[in-house]
Amino acid sequence: MFVGREAELRRLAAAQAATPAAVLVVGEAGIGKSRLVREFAGGIDALVAEGGADPGGTAYAPFVPVLRRLVREHGGGLVPGGGRGGLARLLPELGEVTELPGLGRARLFEEVLLLVERAAERRPVVLVLEDLHWADQATRDLLVFLLRNLMRPGVLVIVTSREPLRLPAAEVIRLPPLGREEVARMLGCDPDPRVVAGRAELDSIVARSEGNPLFVEALADAGAGVATPASLRELLLAGADRLGPPSLDVLRIAAVAGRRTPHEVLAAVAGLDELALDDALRPIVRARLLLVDGDGYAFRHALIRDAVYDDLLPGERRRLHARCAEAWPELAADHWYAAGDRRRAFDAAWQAGRWERVLELWDDAHTRGRDHTWVLEHAARDALCEGDAERAEELATRALEEVDDPLRAAHLLELRVAVRDLLGEEGLGDLREAVRLAPREARLIGSLATTLAWNGQDAEARAHAEEALALGDARAMVTLAALTALDGDLGTASSLYAEFRSGAPDDDSLLMSYASEADVLEAAGEHARAESVAREGMSRARRLGMARTRGAHLAANLAEPLVSLGRWQEAREVIRAALALDPAPIHRAWILMVLGTVAVWEGALAEADGVVRLARPLMRGRSRGYDSCLEPDLLECRLAVAQSDLVRAGLVVDHVLAEHDLRQSRRYAWPLLVLAARVGRVREAPAGIATTGPVQEAYRATFEAECGGSWAAAVACWRSVRQPYALGQALVRAAEQDRAGAREPLREAAAIAASLGAEPLRREVEAAAATLRVGLTGDLRLSARELEVLGLVAEGLSNRQIAERLFISARTSGVHVSNILAKLGANSRVEAAALARRAGLI
C-alpha cells in the first residue's frame, strides 16, 4: 500500500510541468524510491521508458531498455541514418554500425539525445533510471551528457540512487523514513495512541522498522507476535517462507534470472504450462515479492532478490543459471559464467559480441581456431566507444604486438591513432608506419596527408593527398583545398571545397570541410567569409544530429572571426551555447581558447587564467599539429603580459623557443614572436618562419615594430585586415613613436577600446595620453543607442532626421550626438564619422 509522500509527488509533478527537467530520488535501501516513481508514473499522460543498473552490469546497460522502448514506439527513423552511426551499438536490431573512427562514443551520445528529444516532440517522455549507484562510468557519462544538453520541453529524467550523485541541474528529493501515522496507514491501523487495540503491534513495527517501508511490510508479513528475525535476510524472506513449493521454485528462478524477468523466460526455465505457472506466480505477486512489470516480473526490491538468491545452495544456483542461459540467449554469457561453465560462457559472449568477457574467458583449450588479435581489436573499439581511451590504447597495442599481417597491422595502427588523438598524443609516427605497411590504402594515405598538413609539412602533405585522391579517398580533396588556401589561392580552394561537398562520402567529412574552409579563411583575414562558412556548417551539423561533435568544432570556427571583427559579445554567446553541449575534449579546448582570448582582451584576467587551467590538460601533446599545441602557450603568454607578469611570460616564451619548431606553425609563430620581442626574449626572427596572407603580414610588421621598426607600418597592416583590437594596440604604439602626431591615433584607439569594452587597451591609451599630454576626456564607452546614432551621423543625417528615424525628440538626438563627439574626442560630425569608420565601429 502506498502512503504518504504527498510532498515528493508534488515536486515530481512540478518537475514534469517545467520540462526539460531532471530529478534525483535519493534514499536508503527499502525507503520507497521505486514505489514513489511508480506511483507518479502511473498517474501521468506520458511515455514512460524504464531501465536500471545491476552490480557489474555492462556499459550503458541501464539505457538499453529505455532506448529500445523509444525506438519501438516511434522507430529508429527519428535519428539521422536510422541510428546506425551510434545507437546500433546498443540496439543491434537497428542494423550494422557505421564506423566513424574516433567518433563512436560522441555519435552515440548525439543520437541518444536526438532520439529522446524527437520522441518528446510526439508525446511527453519520462525516462526512469533505477539504482544508478551501481551504474558503470559510461552510463553516468551518457546521463550527464543528456542532462546538460536536453533543451526541448517534454522530457523528464528521474534517477534513483542509494547515494547522492553529481548530476547537473537535477533537483534532489531525499526520502525520509515514514512517520508513525504513515506506518499505521500502511498497516490499516488507527494511529491514535489513545486507541488500545493494535497499539502494541504498531509501536513495535514502528520501532523495529525505523520507518523503512520495505521493513514495515516485511515485519507485517512475518505476523503479529513473531520475534524480530535474527538477520535482515530472514526478515525479507518471511513472506517467501509461506509459499508453496511451486511458487518458491519460481521465485528462486526469478532471483537467479536478474532484476527483471520476461514472462517467457520464467516459463521456459520453470518448465510449467501456462496455467500451472499462473498458479505458482499468483501467491508471489499477492505477497508483493514480485511485481508485474509490463510483459515480465520484477522484484519489489533488490534486497528481496538478494535475500532469495543468497538463500540458494551453490548447486541450486549453478543449475538455475544454466537453465536461464539456455532460455535467455541475450544474457547467456553471464549465466553460463555464473554457472561455472567457462566454455559455454565464452561461446555465448562471442555470439553476443561481449569482447571483454571473451578476453577474460580466453583459454587455448577451447578457443582453437579463434583469432585473439581480432578480439583485442574489437574490445579496443568498444572501450573507445565507452570513453575508456587508456584501455582502448592498451588493447590496440596488445593487438599490434600479436599481428603479423601487414594490412591488419596498418588498420590497427589507424585505430591507435584515433585512440591517442583523444589522449592528446601525436599519431604521425603510427600513420607513417601504417602507410609503409599498406602503401595502396587510400584512407590511410589521406589520413597521413591531413596529419602532415597539421604539422606544417606542406610539400609531403600535398604529395600524399594527391596520391590518396587518385586512389579514391575523396576526403583528401579537403586537405588539398586547405593547402591551396594556405598558398594564397583562396578562389581555387573554395572551388575545391564546393566540389567536395557536392559528393561528400559521409556526414562527418562534409562538416569537416566547412570547419577546414572557415579555418583557412580566418587565417587569411577573410573574417566575414569565415563567419558565413562556419554558420552554414553549424546549420548542417544541427540538421544531421551532430551539433555536439562537429557542430562544436564549427562553433570555435565561428567564434574566432567574431572575435577578430570585434563582436565579442556575439562570440561569447556562440561559446556559451557550444560549451552547454558538453563537447568532446579537443573541441571544448578549441572553444575555450577563443573564450580565453576574449577574456584577456576584455581585461577579465581571472576568467582567462581559469580558461588556461581548463584547456591545457585537454590540449596536451601534439595530436592536432603544431598550431593546436601552440595555442595554449599563446593564450598563457598573452595573459601573462596583460598581468604584467614578465617572469611568467618569459618562461612560456623560453619553453616555446626551446621545445617547438616555429617553422612548422602557420598561424601562431608570428604572434608568439611578437610577445617574445615584447618581453625582451628575441630581437630577430628565426629563419624560415612562414608569412602567408595579410594577417601574418600584420603580425610580422608588428614584430618588426617591436624590434625597432615602424609602428605606422603595423597600423596600416592591421587596418587592412579590419581587426580592431590589434589595430588599437598598434595605434597606441604608433602614437608613442610619433609624439608630434599622437593625438589622432590615441583618440582612434580610445574609440576602439570604448566600442569593444577592452579595459586593458583603455588603460594603455590613458597611460600613453598622460605621458604624451594628449587630452582624453569623458567616458569613451559608446552605448548601443549611441552606436546607432553614430551610424546615422555617418550617413549625413541631421539631428532632426536622426530623431525622426529613431522616434525620439530632436533634443534627445542632439544630446546623443554631443556625447558621441566628446567620447570620440572629435571636433565635428565629419571627424567622428571618419574615426568610427577607421575604428570599425560602423
Side-chain angles (χ1 to χ4, degrees):
M1 178 181 180
F2 183 79
V3 300
R5 311 300 193 202
E6 289 85 1
E8 290 81 2
L9 286 171
R10 285 195 297 272
R11 291 176 67 184
L12 287 170
Q16 191 194 19
T19 58
V23 177
L24 171 63
V25 182
V26 180
E28 65 182 28
I31 202 66
K33 301 181 294 294
S34 299
R35 186 71 182 88
L36 171 69
V37 174
R38 280 197 298 271
E39 184 72 15
F40 169 72
I44 59 175
D45 181 16
L47 174 62
V48 180
E50 302 173 87
D54 277 319
T58 57
Y60 307 118
F63 274 99
V64 171
V66 170
L67 301 175
R68 184 164 283 130
R69 177 81 171 89
L70 298 181
V71 168
R72 286 177 179 172
E73 183 77 14
H74 298 296
L78 291 180
V79 178
R84 285 182 293 279
L87 278 177
R89 293 184 180 278
L90 304 184
L91 306 179
E93 60 265 33
L94 294 178
E96 291 292 325
V97 178
T98 301
E99 291 292 346
L100 293 171
L103 287 175
R105 172 180 161 102
R107 193 62 184 268
L108 168 63
F109 282 22
E110 198 82 36
E111 291 188 357
V112 170
L113 174 63
L114 278 173
L115 177 65
V116 171
E117 288 197 327
R118 291 180 179 177
E121 291 174 359
R122 288 153 175 78
R123 184 185 176 192
V125 170
V126 177
L127 308 184
V128 178
L129 297 166
E130 296 261 33
D131 297 327
L132 276 234
H133 49 275
W134 282 323
D136 60 283
Q137 190 59 50
T139 294
R140 295 190 185 200
D141 290 346
L142 175 52
L143 174 61
V144 168
F145 168 75
L146 280 180
L147 298 187
R148 283 178 175 163
N149 294 289
L150 281 168
M151 301 296 177
R152 298 180 183 175
V155 183
L156 174 62
V157 180
I158 303 177
V159 175
T160 70
S161 174
R162 293 181 190 172
E163 58 195 38
L165 304 175
R166 295 174 63 90
L167 299 179
E171 180 181 2
V172 178
I173 296 179
R174 298 179 183 274
L175 292 189
L178 297 178
R180 186 178 190 280
E181 181 177 343
E182 292 166 324
V183 172
R185 287 165 57 194
M186 281 188 69
L187 300 175
C189 301
D190 191 327
D192 190 335
R194 294 171 297 180
V195 177
V196 176
R199 186 175 67 189
E201 180 184 2
L202 173 60
D203 291 343
S204 174
I205 290 178
V206 168
R208 290 153 66 188
S209 70
E210 297 183 346
N212 185 299
L214 176 66
F215 302 160
V216 170
E217 292 179 338
L219 287 165
D221 290 343
V226 175
T228 303
S231 68
L232 174 61
R233 185 176 64 84
E234 291 179 14
L235 173 62
L236 296 174
L237 288 175
D241 288 343
R242 293 195 294 272
L243 296 174
S247 296
L248 189 54
D249 287 344
V250 170
L251 184 66
R252 288 168 174 166
I253 291 168
V256 169
R259 64 176 292 118
R260 182 189 179 280
T261 310
H263 180 87
E264 62 272 15
V265 171
L266 206 54
V269 177
L272 300 174
D273 62 41
E274 289 295 324
L275 291 178
L277 180 60
D278 289 345
D279 288 341
L281 279 167
R282 192 165 284 108
I284 304 173
V285 173
R286 189 179 298 122
R288 300 191 69 253
L289 296 167
L290 288 180
L291 304 176
V292 176
D293 183 20
D295 59 352
Y297 304 90
F299 277 89
R300 175 162 54 91
H301 198 280
L303 290 177
I304 298 175
R305 179 198 166 200
D306 293 346
V308 175
Y309 186 87
D310 292 342
D311 199 46
L312 292 169
L313 297 172
E316 286 180 301
R317 288 183 200 163
R318 287 196 296 272
R319 287 193 298 274
L320 288 177
H321 274 297
R323 285 158 61 184
C324 287
E326 291 171 344
W328 203 348
E330 291 179 21
L331 299 182
D334 295 331
H335 284 299
W336 284 125
Y337 185 81
D341 193 327
R342 292 177 61 87
R343 177 162 189 157
R344 286 183 172 175
F346 176 90
D347 290 341
W350 187 282
Q351 289 295 321
R354 300 272 300 281
W355 306 118
E356 280 283 6
R357 178 56 60 86
V358 168
L359 290 172
E360 180 185 356
L361 294 167
W362 195 272
D363 183 340
D364 289 339
H366 61 261
T367 58
R368 196 169 290 109
R370 307 278 193 176
D371 188 335
H372 189 254
T373 305
W374 188 88
V375 175
L376 286 169
E377 176 184 353
H378 282 72
R381 293 188 186 279
D382 285 350
L384 186 59
C385 180
E386 293 163 16
D388 191 349
E390 287 83 2
R391 176 62 172 164
E393 181 184 33
E394 175 195 344
L395 292 166
T397 301
R398 284 173 56 191
L400 278 163
E401 291 169 354
E402 294 182 4
V403 73
D404 54 11
D405 175 72
L407 183 59
R408 288 187 65 187
H411 287 298
L412 282 167
L413 285 165
E414 183 185 23
L415 171 62
R416 192 167 70 176
V417 168
V419 174
R420 287 181 169 175
D421 183 59
L422 293 182
L423 294 171
E425 299 172 12
E426 190 225 324
L428 187 55
D430 275 357
L431 281 172
R432 286 191 186 278
E433 177 63 11
V435 170
R436 186 189 70 80
L437 293 170
R440 301 292 294 173
E441 284 288 295
R443 187 175 72 183
L444 293 176
I445 298 169
S447 296
L448 176 58
T450 300
T451 305
L452 287 166
W454 285 344
N455 284 276
Q457 300 178 43
D458 294 1
E460 190 180 358
R462 183 180 294 279
H464 282 297
E466 290 172 347
E467 181 184 3
L469 187 61
L471 289 172
D473 182 17
R475 298 174 306 162
M477 192 180 295
V478 175
T479 303
L480 285 172
L483 292 169
T484 302
L486 291 167
D487 287 342
D489 188 353
L490 292 179
T492 301
S494 292
S495 297
L496 287 171
Y497 282 120
E499 181 182 350
F500 172 79
R501 286 200 278 269
S502 68
D506 56 74
D507 296 342
D508 186 61
S509 299
L510 173 70
L511 297 177
M512 273 296 295
S513 74
Y514 283 105
S516 176
E517 185 174 9
D519 186 62
V520 295
L521 286 170
E522 170 62 15
E526 295 285 340
H527 309 307
R529 289 176 62 191
E531 176 192 355
S532 176
V533 169
R535 286 193 187 279
E536 183 181 348
M538 287 181 68
S539 177
R540 295 290 292 270
R542 283 191 293 270
R543 292 200 299 271
L544 291 169
M546 299 177 70
R548 174 182 177 256
T549 49
R550 292 304 175 199
H553 183 174
L554 282 155
N557 293 122
L558 173 58
E560 197 169 10
L562 291 175
V563 171
S564 295
L565 291 166
R567 291 153 58 188
W568 295 353
Q569 290 311 306
E570 285 184 65
R572 278 189 174 274
E573 282 302 306
V574 171
I575 290 166
R576 181 198 59 75
L579 292 177
L581 294 175
D582 190 25
I586 190 66
H587 299 152
R588 175 176 287 270
W590 290 337
I591 296 165
L592 288 171
M593 286 293 99
V594 185
L595 175 62
T597 300
V598 173
V600 169
W601 291 350
E602 286 180 337
L605 302 186
E607 179 187 16
D609 198 50
V611 167
V612 170
R613 296 176 190 279
L614 285 172
R616 273 211 177 275
L618 304 177
M619 299 185 76
R620 59 187 180 179
R622 298 174 179 169
S623 66
R624 296 297 172 116
Y626 263 84
D627 278 343
S628 184
C629 72
L630 285 172
E631 235 180 322
D633 292 325
L634 176 60
L635 175 58
E636 184 170 359
C637 199
R638 281 173 170 162
L639 171 62
V641 169
Q643 293 170 325
S644 299
D645 188 346
L646 299 187
V647 173
R648 181 181 181 184
L651 290 173
V652 176
V653 168
D654 291 344
H655 160 76
V656 168
L657 295 176
E659 300 296 330
H660 296 285
D661 182 356
L662 293 182
R663 294 171 301 175
Q664 296 186 20
S665 171
R666 299 187 190 86
R667 293 192 61 182
Y668 303 124
W670 282 117
L672 279 162
L673 287 170
V674 166
L675 293 167
R678 190 166 298 170
V679 299
R681 285 302 201 269
V682 298
R683 299 305 297 169
E684 62 180 39
I689 303 296
T691 308
T692 304
V695 174
Q696 295 305 308
E697 291 284 358
Y699 274 117
R700 186 175 70 176
T702 305
F703 172 79
E704 291 169 352
E706 288 282 3
C707 296
S710 167
W711 277 103
V715 166
C717 286
W718 287 118
R719 199 182 297 285
S720 71
V721 296
R722 294 181 62 82
Q723 291 189 207
Y725 186 77
L727 172 60
Q729 289 185 307
L731 285 165
V732 173
R733 304 298 294 278
E736 293 171 340
Q737 195 173 57
D738 179 12
R739 299 172 69 93
R743 180 178 180 275
E744 185 173 343
L746 282 180
R747 294 205 169 185
E748 184 180 351
I752 291 172
S755 67
L756 296 176
E759 189 63 20
L761 179 58
R762 183 190 66 78
R763 289 196 297 267
E764 287 182 41
V765 171
E766 291 181 352
T771 300
L772 301 173
R773 298 183 180 180
V774 173
L776 295 173
T777 59
D779 180 7
L780 295 172
R781 189 184 301 271
L782 298 185
S783 68
R785 176 62 90 181
E786 287 168 343
L787 287 171
E788 195 173 12
V789 171
L790 178 58
L792 298 177
V793 167
E795 291 181 23
L797 274 63
S798 67
N799 287 355
R800 183 172 298 280
Q801 290 170 319
I802 292 171
E804 291 173 353
R805 182 78 65 88
L806 299 180
F807 301 101
I808 58 179
S809 71
R811 179 182 177 82
T812 301
S813 171
V815 170
H816 283 315
V817 171
S818 297
N819 288 340
I820 290 167
L821 295 178
K823 289 182 178 183
L824 296 183
N827 295 318
S828 69
R829 298 162 75 97
V830 173
E831 185 181 356
L835 279 171
R837 288 193 179 94
R838 286 200 297 270
L841 300 182
I842 57 174

